[in-house]
Amino acid sequence: MPYDLHQRLGYKLALAAQVNNQTMITLLADIGLTRQSWCALVAVEAQGISQPSAIADYVGIKRAAVSRSLKDMSLKGLLERQHGQHSRQTINVSLTPEGKRLLALSMPMTEASAAHLNQQLSGHEQTQLMRLLDKILSAPHAPAARI
């Protein structure tokens, strides 16, 4: 039997992720955000994460990439970076009113995207898929390239 790429789990996982990612990229571009900048806004505002290294860990990107992204977001007026009170090496990040506005504007769009994805599966199937993905992602594996 010949090798059939389209029947491989890894291929299907990658394809599903690409479809979801492209939808997010397109929606967010309409309001001037990248997927990475949106994730950083969510990390800071919704999760209360203020340090760049913790934002990188939460989002799953390299620290150098988050540093560049936060600098760009600061230049665009979406967030403020301030040195820590006890150490000049510590940076704390907070959203500006414009960052909060764009995050609020983006949420209905991202929720609609998630709803469209969720409509493809029953509630039981969604629960089952999340459980299976958690199982796959919790298994020991070589460090993945960060997004």
Side-chain angles (χ1 to χ4, degrees):
M1 175 173 223
Y3 184 89
D4 188 351
L5 178 66
H6 295 165
Q7 295 306 312
R8 306 299 290 189
L9 178 61
Y11 176 81
K12 288 187 176 197
L13 285 171
L15 188 59
Q18 287 174 359
V19 167
N20 183 65
N21 194 41
Q22 191 55 51
T23 301
M24 288 290 291
I25 288 169
T26 302
L27 289 172
L28 295 170
D30 288 343
I31 59 171
L33 293 175
T34 64
R35 184 188 151 289
Q36 190 169 305
S37 63
W38 180 79
C39 288
L41 292 175
V42 169
V44 174
E45 186 68 12
Q47 298 299 313
I49 301 171
S50 64
Q51 293 189 330
S53 60
I55 294 168
D57 291 342
Y58 177 77
V59 174
I61 59 177
K62 293 181 180 179
R63 291 179 181 190
V66 85
S67 180
R68 286 189 302 271
S69 186
L70 294 177
K71 181 178 180 181
D72 182 57
M73 294 169 69
S74 179
L75 292 172
K76 290 179 178 177
L78 303 180
L79 57 81
E80 294 176 338
R81 298 181 307 164
Q82 300 171 345
H83 291 284
Q85 293 178 348
H86 303 293
S87 170
R88 300 262 319 143
Q89 292 179 327
T90 301
I91 300 290
N92 292 311
V93 175
S94 61
L95 299 191
T96 63
E98 179 63 6
K100 290 179 182 185
R101 184 187 76 77
L102 284 180
L103 180 59
L105 185 62
S106 72
M107 293 311 289
M109 299 162 59
T110 59
E111 289 298 324
S113 176
H116 176 73
L117 183 64
N118 291 340
Q119 288 173 352
Q120 310 307 309
L121 302 171
S122 70
H124 175 73
E125 289 169 329
Q126 290 174 38
T127 301
Q128 205 172 20
L129 179 58
M130 290 296 284
R131 184 182 58 76
L132 293 170
L133 290 171
D134 286 343
K135 185 175 182 178
I136 289 169
L137 295 172
S138 69
H141 57 279
R146 291 182 166 252
I147 52 176

